[in-house]
Structures are given as C-alpha cells and as structure tokens.
Amino acid sequence: MAEDEIRILGARSHNLQGVSCRIPLRQLTVVTGVSGSGKSTLAFDTLYAEGQRRYVASLSTYARQFLERLPRPDVDLVSHLPPAIAIEQRNRVTNARSTVGTATEILDHLRLLFAKLGRTRCPDCGSFVEDGTVESVVDRLLARHAGARLVLAAPLPAPPKRKAASAGESTSALRERLLREGFTRLLVADGRVVELEDLGDRELAALRPDAAIVVDRVAVSAELPRARLAEAVASAFERGGGVLAAARVDGARETYRAGLVCDGCGRAFPRPIPALFSFNSPLGACQVCQGFGRTTGLDWERVIPDPAKSLAGGAIVPFQTEGGKACQRDLMRAARRLGIPTDVSFEALSPAHQTLVRDGDGDDWYGVRGFFEWLEGRRYKVQSRVLLARYRRYDPCTACGGARLQPDALAVEVAGRSIADVSRQTIAELHAWLGGLALSPAEAARAGRLRDATLVRVGTALEVGLGYLALERQTRTLSGGEAQRIQLATALGGTLTAALYVLDEPSIGLHASDVARLLAVLRSIRDQGNTVVVVEHAPEIVSAADHVIDLGPGAGRLGGRLVVEGPVEVVRAHPTSLTGRALRGELAPAAPSAPRAERGRLRVVGAREHNLHDLSVEIPLGQLVVVTGVSGAGKSTLVNDVVVGNLLRAPERGACERIEGAERVRSVVRVDPTPPARSSRSNPATVSKAFDGIRKRFAATREAKALGAGPGWFSFNVAGGRCEACEGAGEVVVDMQFLDDVRVPCESCGGRRYRPEALAVRVDGRTIVDVLGLTLDEAAVAFAADPAIAPRLEPFRRVGLGYLTLGQPLSTLSGGENQRVRLALALIEGAADALYVLDEPTTGLHPADVEVLLACLEALIAGGGSVLVVEHNLELIQRADYVLDLGPEGGPGGGRLVASGTPAEIAAHPTSRTGAALRAAGLRG
C-alpha cells in the first residue's frame, strides 16, 4: 500500500456495505453523497473513531478513564492513519458560563494581558492607583518634587476610644515612646513643623488626629542619596501603618500608601492576577450574580398573561393549578377584606390594587410574590423547581451591569478600557484594538510576546469568519456552524502538523459570499502538513477538493456503497453520480412560482436584541418566508430570540417593543436538529406512534390471546415479552474497569430483545423482531391496510426517511436526519394557524434532497400553517414566497433590513449580497 494515503478496506458500520476507498495524506478530501448514504458513518464512525481508539489504546489504563470511549469500528483495515481530530457542526454546549471568549481561548489571553498591563483606576475618586512599594514611591518623589524641600512624616496612631481606653496608647505614653525612639518633631495639619517637647498633653491630644511624626527632612536633588530617601519611606510605612505624608515648604501635601491602595481615598485593591478577571473564579466573579451576569426574577407577563381576565376569572395563572387553589382562595378573601374588585379585568384595577395583589399587604395576604418566595424555600422539591422555572425571567445583574465581574476587576484598565469593555467588542473590533495598542517600552517588556500571541489567536478566529461575534456572547446561543468554526479556529491556532482533521459540513451557517474564506482556512490547515476530510454537500466546497469520495447511490440500505472516487473532474464526468449531476449543473432549482396568498402578517416592531438596530419587519403568514443574510447579520436572533421567544414568552426572549398580529398564531413549532427523544431506546417506530398499532396487531393474533398477552407484552421497554436478562436492550454492557466497556449480544435472547414466547407470535409470517427490521418504506407496504400504522409512517417517508428501519435508534442519526424526524412529527401534528420555525433545514441535505424538503414545507402551508426559515441555500431561497435579507455586514455592521420582497425583487436589489448570489445562480429580477 502507498504510504502517502490512508486506505480503508471493508468498512461495514451502520449501512456501509464493505466500502473500500483511499484518502490522500496532506490533501483536502470531501466525502459527499445523498442524505443517509453513509458519509458521516465513513468519516466519523469509521475513520475518526479508529484514530481516536488507537490513541486511547496507547495511553495508560489510568488515563483512559478520563477520555471519550469509542467502540471499535466494523472495518477490515485502516492503514497509515494519523492522529485524528473531529470538528462536528453540533453545538453541544449548554453551560451558561461558556462564552465565545472562553471557547476560543481569547479571554484566557486577555486575562493575562490585563494582569500584566492593567492599571487600576479608583471608582471612588477616579485617579489611577499606583503600586505603593518603597521603590515606586521613591521614584515618584524624585520625579514630582525635584528641587523642592520635603518633610516626610508618618501619621500618628489613632487615639484610644473612651469606652476602650486600654485598647490604645495614651497621649502621654505616646509622647514618651516617640522621644525615646529619637523622634522630636510633628507635622501638623496646617503644614507647620512643631517640636514635640513644646507640646503639652492637652495640646498633643488636640493635634493628634491630623498630626504626623516627622521621619526626615530632605532637599530633593541629584545629590540626595537614594538610599536615604528609601530608608525614610520604609520607616514611615512601618510607623504609619503603610501611610506616608510628604509636605513641601510651600504647603502642598501628598499622601502615599503601601500596597495597591488609592492615595486619594485609601481604598485598597487586590493585585491584578489572571484569576481576578475570570467570572468562573470566586476571586473575580460578581458576588450578586455569581458570575452569570444576570439574576432571576418573576416574569409578570407569564404570571398574568391575559390582563383582560378578572381575579375571579383566573388572571393569576399559577393559582389556577391544583396546587395553587388554596392561594386563589386566600386571594379572594384578601380582596374582599381590602376592597379589591374581583369581577373586573386585572388591567382595570387601580395601580394601588395591582400592587396589593402582587406584593401583599404585609398582614394576612402574602401576595403573588410571597407565594413564589415560599416556593424558593422549597426548591428541594422537583415540582417547586418546575413551577419556578415556568414563571421565571432573567434580568441583567444590577451590581455588575451584566459584566459578570466584581468591581475590583472592572477597575483595571488597559488603554482606558476594562476587560468587560473589551469583551463587549466583536472579534473584528478586538483585532483592530489590539493592533493599535500603543505600549511604552516598560509595558512592552512586561507584556513580552503576549500581545502578539493574543493577536494571532484573534486573527485566527477572524479568518474562519467569526469576526462579527462578541466575546461575551454565550456559546450555547450559537448555531452548529458557528460552534464548529470556533473549534476550527482553536485547531488552526494550535499549529498542529501531520494530523487528521475530520469536519462535518463546515459551510453550514455561511452565506454564499463567505464560502471562499472557509476554503482558505481549510487549505491553510492542509498546507500545514495535515490531512483534511470534510463531509460536505455544497458544490463550491466539493469543486475545491483535491479528492472526492461519493457514496450512494441512495440512502439507508440503498446506500453505503462507493459510487466514485478521485479528482473532481472524475466525479463530475461520472454518468450516474448525483454529485456529478450537481457539479454539472443538472440539478438546478426550478423557477420560482407566484407567491401564495397571505393570511395576515406578523409585524415585529423595534427589535433590539444582540446586534439588531431597532429593527422593524413584517412577516407574511400562510407563506414560505426565508430570513437570510451574511453570517452574523442577526437572522437567528430575529427569528429564534425575538419572534419565537416573544410568541412563547420564553424567559430569555429577545428585546423588542411589540409584535403585532400575534393573535393570528395559535402555536409555534420549532423544527431543529436536536433528537426528538433522548432515550437510546427511541426509534422511528416509537416516535411516530406506529409501534402502538404494530403491538396491537400482534396482540390481536390467536397465539397472543392464548398466551394472555396484551399490546404492552410486545414492547421492549416494559416487562412482559421482552428479554429480562438485557431488559429489552439486546446487548449487555461488560464493565472493563479502566478499559472501554464491551457491549456483547445478550446470551439469553441472542440480541433479539424478546423472549422465545414473544418471537413465536407472527403477523403475516413476521415476528416482532422482523417487523422492527423493516424499513419505513417496506413497513408502509406491509401494513398499507392498517389505519393505525401506515398513516403514521407516511410523513417520515415524505421527508425522505423511508430508508430508516423501524427499530433504528435515533441516537445513530445525523443532525440533518434528526431535523427531518422533527419535520415529520410536525406533519403528523400539523395544525391550522401554526407557525413552523426552521433554522438551516438544508443541513445534511444533498442538492438532490432539497426538492423533498420543499415539498414538505409546502404541505405544512397547505395545511393552514406558516413557515419561517433561516437559510442560506440559494435553491430554497429561490422557492420562497417572501424573503427578508438582513445585513449588510455581520456583528455591529448588521442587524438592519437590507431588502425584503420576492426572490426576484431581492435579486434586483443593487447592494444586497444575497441578491448578488441569486443573480450569479441565474435568477434575474
């Protein structure tokens, strides 16, 4: 075998049917094919899994317990495999503490930079706080008072309090001690120097609070020995509790303090260390919000969603539950006692009465707020936590203003900006700020190579197209494509060589005009001596590959074969390859049809979330509406945060003045790439509810009745006909301690999940195991006459998932397949006047599959729904009824409406980048 390529022989994981192919080392290889053809299985479940398994196997048994465990892929041979790194397009982060700054490691560099270069500005008096060491104070005295005569003095200890005189030194004792120690003069408040021996006890007591003991008198000049001045400063600090008074002959007086203490007001600050600037550290986190930047409170719009209702009519929603009925009775009694009308709408009550309902009267009526405070004390109960979450909202922390850090951290500045100010910048703005940072020679020496290293890290994030993201943006709010590009930036910044990078659709979330930048990044990783393998459908990415592996020809059992591999020219010329047809332009989108009739409009007024600039847009209902624009233009913010968040009254909904026409939308259905069920036992049969009908069919047979078996007896999730040795899983997990767990087929059932008695029951000659092994297409034919089964499977077939088997675990599906499962469920549960929201639904779809998706979206609209899509795919945009194009740039340069109208009107717009892409694709206005 050639040593300049990876060879895969006989890959059989999932639906791969003995695939053998090659991947040239130090080249860019694209794995493509229709959805479900086995691309991710080959790239991730075979290639990456084997690389990771080999790496883990090389470590000690102790180290293995901390690392991800991947099963051995079903493959005959993988040769010449470099160390593997997987960069997926799923955003798995749910932690509210993770931000763009922490995920890219830029914030780690900035924390070091602020610790090295930061200057503390006192929030109380506005002056910079100098570090009060003996050496620094000597330097300041020499610089500020050259040619002047100075009196250096240390404040006298405070006089004892009358009630605790024994706790302090008396005036007479103080006089005697100072004289014994050789100090004979005092610096008094008006600047005079007086002899200590000339003062009586009463006079000394009167002067004591403002007087200072004279340590030395010097003339500041070049002849003054530095050691004498340093000795005087050290002596003053020691005797004055870290405080030095320096008075000039002309009466001017300054105070110097030891440590990082403000000379003006005496406020002490901690020394800047990296942990001080981390909101994940107790040293830096705001004490009020614990570093989250927000606090929880009651969402009154959810507590009282319909102010037109009266108190007696159920205006207070949490009081209408079974557990809240007692509170409703208490409210009615309090209203009668306090004279609050209960038969008029809540909004018609006087402000005083509304306040009484909310806050109580401090007597017998505890108020709605008191009810929730009582719940807070019972958070140990699940139902209390659920109820609190249902009526919770998040507000910026009033203590830190959402900056997450304590005041001492926010007081440290570099070039006039705190680390919170810098974190609010986008990556592009940060790059410009760092590049223009003017450092003195001393600062440059302290920073060393730190600024250059930070600039490299920021520049890498800029290269992968993340320049529009602010460092403070929570990672969990990013799309899968943005999360993947963060991983890409981290990998690129690591400057690894001779590694294997496996990427999953990196073009997701990228506007057509940004793909060239992504290609430059992939080539940069390749040119560092790495091997890059990309699962991708975008023709622009496929065309730029050094090597292409095309799988197919169909999906599921019809896929898993190698159609063609080689240079792009070979794939383009292949007569039966769907990828070749796409490269030849034979899968061009159909001409857009006339827009459907509207059924009213939603009007979003004054959206201000993230980078939206007081945006107002109209969204036609009863149509396919696509929101597009460059990366970071504000598309997901508008759709997910503002529109969906406000319609659902979510705790973290985006800020806007109002949404007009919301009464026209009865329900909001999100169709996203997350699995519809978390259980590893979930499969298409269970989520479609077709399994209910299938189990009833088995229970209705003569054999089942003889056994006394009902429908539940044929479920592998409950006791009955399932194998109890493996509890219906079909496999047993053997704990190998620090080694990988080994999954072996259950010896009792042979991996079939059921007892022999259950397998003896047949429907049309098939056992329950045989039925679960049918594809959805095969099952639809086998049960075509059963109204409880076939109609449940049809939506899954319509979205192009007919190749899945009834028993295939949903955990094995790709993100695109999971999204289509959700789309199928939406088709099943479709309702009139529903708003269906999709974010990048073409994820995981080959150009040949997009037509199937469009047919499903049109079916939702035909059923009385409205479809709102965030998308960059030009084929889908061309088939939209109405397009909202945001921009013109990403980040602060976005958040505005560039153009709106039909696809042809967008294509005719002179400045729209989406319009330019549509024109390049052949659409004319």
Side-chain angles (χ1 to χ4, degrees):
M1 294 184 183
E3 295 186 0
D4 60 348
E5 63 184 23
I6 302 169
R7 293 290 297 182
I8 299 176
L9 299 179
R12 293 178 297 274
S13 297
H14 299 321
N15 70 326
L16 295 182
Q17 302 185 35
V19 170
S20 298
C21 59
R22 63 187 185 86
I23 297 170
L25 293 172
R26 297 175 296 282
Q27 298 292 320
L28 171 59
T29 298
V30 171
V31 182
T32 188
V34 297
S35 181
S37 60
K39 304 179 298 299
S40 296
T41 300
L42 179 65
F44 288 92
D45 299 334
T46 302
L47 191 63
Y48 168 68
E50 177 64 12
Q52 190 75 347
R53 187 193 66 80
R54 292 183 186 182
Y55 167 68
V56 173
S58 69
L59 302 176
S60 67
T61 54
Y62 174 77
R64 295 180 206 173
Q65 65 178 315
F66 303 109
L67 299 175
E68 180 185 8
R69 299 179 181 182
L70 293 174
R72 180 189 293 271
D74 189 1
V75 61
D76 292 336
L77 174 68
V78 180
S79 69
H80 303 108
L81 185 61
I85 299 169
I87 303 178
E88 297 183 276
Q89 55 99 358
R90 297 179 185 178
N91 186 359
R92 302 181 184 272
V93 177
T94 58
N95 190 347
R97 290 187 178 274
S98 177
T99 66
V100 171
T102 59
T104 56
E105 301 176 6
I106 293 174
L107 197 55
D108 296 332
H109 286 70
L110 288 175
R111 287 166 48 210
L112 287 168
L113 195 68
F114 270 76
K116 290 283 188 181
L117 302 180
R119 297 185 65 192
T120 301
R121 185 190 294 274
C122 178
D124 296 333
C125 58
S127 59
F128 280 112
V129 181
E130 303 288 347
D131 192 2
T133 63
V134 171
E135 289 298 317
S136 67
V137 171
V138 169
D139 290 338
R140 280 185 276 165
L141 289 173
L142 291 172
R144 294 178 183 177
H145 304 289
R149 297 183 61 83
L150 291 180
V151 176
L152 305 179
L156 292 175
K161 297 181 179 179
R162 291 183 180 180
K163 294 183 179 180
S166 60
E169 190 176 21
S170 67
T171 301
S172 58
L174 174 64
R175 175 207 300 274
E176 296 302 321
R177 178 175 64 80
L178 291 176
L179 288 173
R180 283 198 309 271
E181 292 174 353
F183 296 103
T184 60
R185 297 180 180 87
L186 292 181
L187 176 67
V188 296
D190 59 5
R192 292 180 298 112
V193 175
V194 298
E195 296 292 331
L196 183 60
E197 291 183 343
D198 296 341
L199 300 175
D201 285 347
R202 185 173 297 177
E203 292 174 300
L204 180 58
L207 294 173
R208 183 172 180 176
D210 300 312
I213 183 70
V214 175
V215 175
D216 201 352
R217 292 189 291 181
V218 297
V220 181
S221 63
E223 291 76 22
L224 175 66
R226 183 182 179 92
R228 177 180 171 182
L229 195 56
E231 183 181 357
V233 171
S235 178
F237 278 164
E238 180 183 357
R239 297 183 177 278
V243 181
L244 163 71
R248 294 168 61 120
V249 177
D250 58 12
R253 183 169 176 171
E254 293 179 339
T255 301
Y256 296 88
R257 302 178 190 275
L260 200 61
V261 181
C262 177
D263 292 335
C265 63
R267 177 172 171 175
F269 295 88
R271 295 189 184 279
I273 59 173
L276 180 66
F277 305 104
S278 172
F279 45 76
N280 292 320
S281 165
L283 293 176
C286 170
Q287 299 300 307
V288 175
C289 65
Q290 306 301 313
F292 284 99
R294 62 186 188 181
T295 54
T296 58
L298 269 181
D299 189 343
W300 290 105
E301 290 185 19
R302 305 180 96 188
V303 174
I304 311 173
D306 188 0
K309 288 185 177 181
S310 65
L311 296 180
I316 312 300
V317 170
F319 288 179
Q320 311 313 308
T321 62
E322 191 64 32
K325 288 182 177 178
C327 297
Q328 177 71 11
R329 291 193 293 270
D330 292 344
L331 171 61
M332 292 296 100
R333 283 196 296 268
R336 287 193 294 271
R337 179 172 57 83
L338 298 170
I340 302 174
T342 60
D343 56 351
V344 301
S345 66
F346 183 83
E347 61 189 358
L349 296 177
S350 67
H353 284 161
Q354 291 184 8
T355 301
L356 281 172
V357 172
R358 290 192 181 102
D359 300 335
D361 63 349
D363 192 5
D364 295 332
W365 170 235
Y366 40 82
V368 177
R369 197 184 302 276
F371 165 72
F372 282 96
E373 289 174 354
W374 174 77
L375 280 179
E376 283 285 353
R378 299 170 63 84
R379 291 186 66 92
Y380 56 88
K381 291 193 172 184
V382 174
Q383 56 266 39
S384 296
R385 295 197 298 272
V386 170
L387 201 58
L388 285 168
R390 187 176 298 164
Y391 299 102
R392 177 177 58 200
R393 71 168 294 155
Y394 298 103
D395 299 305
C397 175
T398 54
C400 65
R404 298 181 169 214
L405 296 170
Q406 59 155 304
D408 288 345
L410 299 175
V412 181
E413 298 178 358
V414 171
R417 297 187 182 184
S418 68
I419 195 167
D421 297 331
V422 174
S423 296
R424 293 188 185 102
Q425 294 179 313
T426 64
I427 289 175
E429 293 170 337
L430 176 62
H431 190 267
W433 179 73
L434 284 171
L437 203 59
L439 301 181
S440 66
E443 290 174 330
R446 289 203 305 274
R449 298 171 56 189
L450 183 57
R451 184 178 73 158
D452 294 338
T454 308
L455 262 173
V456 169
R457 179 71 63 172
V458 176
T460 302
L462 200 59
E463 285 179 33
V464 299
L466 297 174
Y468 59 89
L469 292 179
L471 292 186
E472 66 177 3
R473 175 89 173 263
Q474 289 185 349
T475 309
R476 64 180 183 176
T477 67
L478 303 180
S479 68
E482 288 170 330
Q484 186 187 42
R485 291 201 295 281
I486 283 181
Q487 298 177 64
L488 195 59
T490 304
L492 187 59
T495 63
L496 289 178
T497 59
L500 169 66
Y501 286 88
V502 185
L503 292 88
D504 189 7
E505 292 205 70
S507 66
I508 292 300
L510 281 183
H511 192 268
S513 60
D514 296 324
V515 173
R517 181 185 295 176
L518 171 64
L519 281 170
V521 172
L522 297 178
R523 287 167 176 153
S524 175
I525 296 176
R526 177 199 63 187
D527 294 344
Q528 289 177 0
N530 299 298
T531 304
V532 182
V533 175
V534 179
V535 175
E536 189 55 84
H537 298 109
E540 301 91 341
I541 304 291
V542 177
S543 299
D546 302 311
H547 188 78
V548 178
I549 299 173
D550 187 29
L551 299 182
R557 293 178 179 176
L558 301 177
R561 300 178 178 88
L562 180 66
V563 176
V564 59
E565 72 168 321
V568 176
E569 294 73 19
V570 172
V571 177
R572 183 183 285 114
H574 196 277
T576 63
S577 166
L578 287 173
T579 300
R581 291 186 61 193
L583 293 174
R584 294 194 298 269
E586 297 175 5
L587 298 179
S593 57
R596 281 169 276 257
E598 294 182 20
R599 293 196 289 268
R601 288 196 172 199
L602 282 179
R603 186 165 185 266
V604 180
V605 180
R608 300 178 299 276
E609 189 70 11
H610 294 320
N611 68 328
L612 299 181
H613 294 276
D614 200 24
L615 180 67
S616 296
V617 297
E618 294 186 354
I619 302 171
L621 299 177
Q623 292 186 341
L624 171 57
V625 179
V626 174
V627 181
T628 187
V630 298
S631 299
K635 305 178 297 296
S636 296
T637 298
L638 173 64
V639 173
N640 296 325
D641 297 347
V642 176
V643 176
V644 176
N646 280 277
L647 290 178
L648 296 180
R649 292 191 174 93
E652 297 180 86
R653 55 187 177 272
C656 74
E657 287 185 21
R658 63 186 182 279
I659 295 183
E660 300 173 358
E663 68 280 356
R664 298 177 181 273
V665 178
R666 289 188 181 179
S667 60
V668 178
V669 180
R670 277 178 164 170
V671 182
D672 55 42
T674 59
R678 294 182 181 273
S679 172
S680 59
R681 294 173 177 263
S682 297
N683 54 44
T686 57
V687 297
S688 67
K689 300 294 192 291
F691 202 35
D692 297 341
I694 292 171
R695 290 187 287 110
K696 288 178 181 177
R697 284 286 299 272
F698 275 88
T701 61
R702 183 167 44 191
E703 296 91 336
K705 290 178 179 178
L707 292 169
W713 208 72
F714 296 95
S715 170
F716 49 76
N717 290 322
V718 296
R722 73 176 185 182
C723 171
E724 290 303 320
C726 62
E727 296 183 338
E731 60 184 12
V732 177
V733 179
V734 180
D735 185 1
M736 299 295 289
Q737 299 298 324
F738 292 152
L739 301 176
D740 292 349
D741 291 343
V742 175
R743 297 178 180 271
V744 297
C746 175
E747 293 183 359
S748 298
C749 65
R752 307 189 75 185
R753 295 187 168 196
Y754 289 92
R755 294 164 47 190
E757 295 87 344
L759 297 176
V761 181
R762 294 175 180 267
V763 171
D764 297 333
R766 297 184 180 92
T767 67
I768 186 70
V769 174
D770 295 333
V771 171
L772 288 174
L774 296 175
T775 66
L776 302 188
D777 288 334
E778 294 168 343
V781 174
F783 298 101
D786 194 322
I789 301 175
R792 287 282 176 179
L793 301 177
E794 188 57 31
F796 290 82
R797 301 176 65 207
R798 288 172 62 185
V799 299
L801 294 177
Y803 59 87
L804 298 179
T805 62
L806 286 172
Q808 182 171 344
L810 296 185
S811 59
T812 65
L813 303 187
S814 66
E817 288 171 326
N818 278 321
Q819 189 166 38
R820 277 179 287 156
V821 168
R822 284 188 171 273
L823 184 57
L825 295 175
L827 288 171
I828 293 175
E829 302 163 1
D833 297 328
L835 177 65
Y836 298 92
V837 180
L838 298 90
D839 196 344
E840 299 276 358
T842 58
T843 298
L845 293 187
H846 191 274
D849 299 319
V850 175
E851 196 67 34
V852 176
L853 170 67
L854 284 164
C856 295
L857 299 182
E858 289 169 357
L860 292 175
I861 297 172
S866 305
V867 177
L868 181 61
V869 179
V870 175
E871 188 56 84
H872 295 109
N873 184 279
L874 295 177
E875 181 176 351
L876 195 147
I877 294 172
Q878 291 191 41
R879 296 285 291 277
D881 298 304
Y882 194 82
V883 179
L884 295 171
D885 187 31
L886 302 187
E889 303 296 336
R896 299 173 176 85
L897 183 64
V898 176
S900 62
T902 65
E905 290 171 338
I906 301 298
H909 196 278
T911 62
S912 167
R913 291 169 68 176
T914 301
L918 289 172
R919 291 194 298 274
L923 182 64
R924 294 290 179 264

